[in-house]
Amino acid sequence: MRLVDGLTGSTFSCTWRSPTGYRLNSDIVIGTIEADRQITLHSDGDLRGTVTCQLGEKAGRTTIEIDWRVQTTKAWMNYLTPLLRPVFIYNHHAVMRSGERGLRYYLHTKA
């Protein structure tokens, strides 16, 4: 897989909707791209920080390992985290599973 040059600095907006009804909105800026190896993204908004996507190959298939180093900026979430941590963890896993299904569908792969 070759990544297209000229994407650095491009911005896109994301909205994540949790199963319990709250939403997180962030603008994602494409930082550095190391062709066929790594993409670094910068997130600002309800999630602020850095995302690193490592690309690899295993058994003839492309692998993607995504490392989010972000923090929430919504005051209510940060304040209630000690009490609602299990709910936030549940929501996180549900959103990640949904994202994986969507990516697999987009790439036309089988689960």
Side-chain angles (χ1 to χ4, degrees):
M1 173 174 74
R2 293 296 299 173
L3 296 174
V4 178
D5 293 330
L7 293 176
T8 300
S10 298
T11 302
F12 55 96
S13 296
C14 290
T15 299
W16 294 274
R17 185 180 47 210
S18 76
T20 56
Y22 65 84
R23 295 172 188 249
L24 297 174
N25 300 295
S26 289
D27 290 327
I28 310 293
V29 178
I30 298 175
T32 59
I33 299 175
E34 296 177 38
D36 297 342
R37 292 187 0 203
Q38 181 173 296
I39 303 169
T40 302
L41 309 170
H42 304 284
S43 178
D44 195 17
D46 294 336
L47 296 173
R48 186 173 292 149
T50 302
V51 182
T52 304
C53 304
Q54 291 283 113
L55 305 173
E57 183 181 341
K58 187 174 188 177
R61 301 183 103 178
T62 300
T63 61
I64 304 171
E65 188 172 318
I66 302 171
D67 181 27
W68 284 82
R69 301 289 171 137
V70 295
Q71 295 180 346
T72 59
T73 61
K74 288 190 173 221
W76 73 267
M77 288 185 82
N78 295 334
Y79 181 75
L80 293 174
T81 292
L83 178 65
L84 296 179
R85 184 176 308 280
V87 174
F88 293 154
I89 290 171
Y90 167 80
N91 286 329
H92 171 78
H93 290 305
V95 169
M96 292 299 106
R97 281 190 305 273
S98 177
E100 181 181 5
R101 280 191 306 272
L103 183 58
R104 284 180 185 273
Y105 177 80
Y106 178 78
L107 296 174
H108 304 289
T109 62
K110 295 181 182 178

